[in-house]
Amino acid sequence: FSNWQDAWAQGGFENSFINSAVITITAVLLTLALSTCMAFVLARYSFRFNVAMLIFFLAANLLPPQSLLVPVYRIFRAFPLPEWIAESGSLLDTYGGVILINVAFQTGFCTFVLSNYMKAIPYAIYESAEVDGASVWTHFWTLTLPLCRTPLAALATLQTAWIYNEFFWATVIMQTGDKFPVTSSL
C-alpha cells in the first residue's frame, strides 16, 4: 500500500479532490436553484414565449462543447475581473469560470426535466392555495418544491456525476495545475 500513499502524495490528489468538491457542489446547487425557478415559471404561467424559451433551453444542449471552445475561451479571457478575485485578471484559471460554464450547460436540461414534472402537478392545488391567499412565492416554496423532491434528488445525483467527471472545460479553463479537479489532474 505504500505505492498508493506515494502516488496520493506526489500527485497532489488531496488538493484535487478539494478542487472537485468546490466546483461540483457549487455548480450543482446553482444549477438546481436556477433551473427550479425557471421551470416553475415555464410550467405554471402562460406567456407569449413560453414554449420558445423551453425549446431554446433544450436546443442549447444539442450544441457540442467542442464547437464553443474558441468563443468561450475568448470571452473568458476578455472578461475583466479584479486582481483580488482572480490572479489572472479574467475568468480563466478560476473556479468561478468552471462553475459558470457547468451551470450554463446543465441548466437547460434540468429546466426541461423539472418543467415537465411541474406541469404534471394538478393546478387545483394552486387554485386552492390562491383561495387561501397564498402568494406566488408561497406557491413556489410551500407547494412546488416539496412536491419536486424526487426529481430534484434524481437531478442532483446526475449533475453531481456529470460535473464531477467533466474533463473538457476544466482542462480548457484551468491553466494552473494546483487548481485542476481530479479528472484533469489525472
Side-chain angles (χ1 to χ4, degrees), residues 104-160:
F105 273 101
Q106 300 300 327
T107 301
F109 174 74
C110 290
T111 301
F112 177 73
V113 170
L114 286 170
S115 67
N116 285 332
Y117 187 85
M118 289 178 189
K119 286 177 185 176
I121 297 172
Y123 194 72
I125 294 173
Y126 296 102
E127 288 176 343
S128 64
E130 282 181 25
V131 170
D132 290 340
S135 65
V136 173
W137 192 249
T138 305
H139 285 197
F140 180 69
W141 278 104
T142 60
L143 296 174
T144 305
L145 280 184
L147 293 172
C148 288
R149 284 184 296 212
T150 304
L152 283 172
L155 285 172
T157 305
L158 282 172
Q159 293 302 311
T160 300

Side-chain angles (χ1 to χ4, degrees), residues 1 8 17 19 21 34 42 54 58 60 81 85 104 109 117 122-123 129 133 138-139 141 154 163 168 171 176 179:
F1 290 105
W8 183 271
F17 275 107
N19 295 343
L34 289 172
L42 291 173
L54 195 56
L58 192 57
L81 287 177
I85 293 176
F109 174 74
Y117 187 85
Y123 194 72
T138 305
H139 285 197
W141 278 104
I163 293 172
F168 180 73
T171 306
T176 307
K179 292 186 179 180

Side-chain angles (χ1 to χ4, degrees), residues 6 20-21 32-33 39 46 75 80 86 88 116 119 126 128 166 169 181 184:
D6 293 342
S20 289
L32 292 179
S46 281
I75 290 170
S88 64
N116 285 332
K119 286 177 185 176
Y126 296 102
S128 64
E166 200 277 319
W169 287 112
S184 299

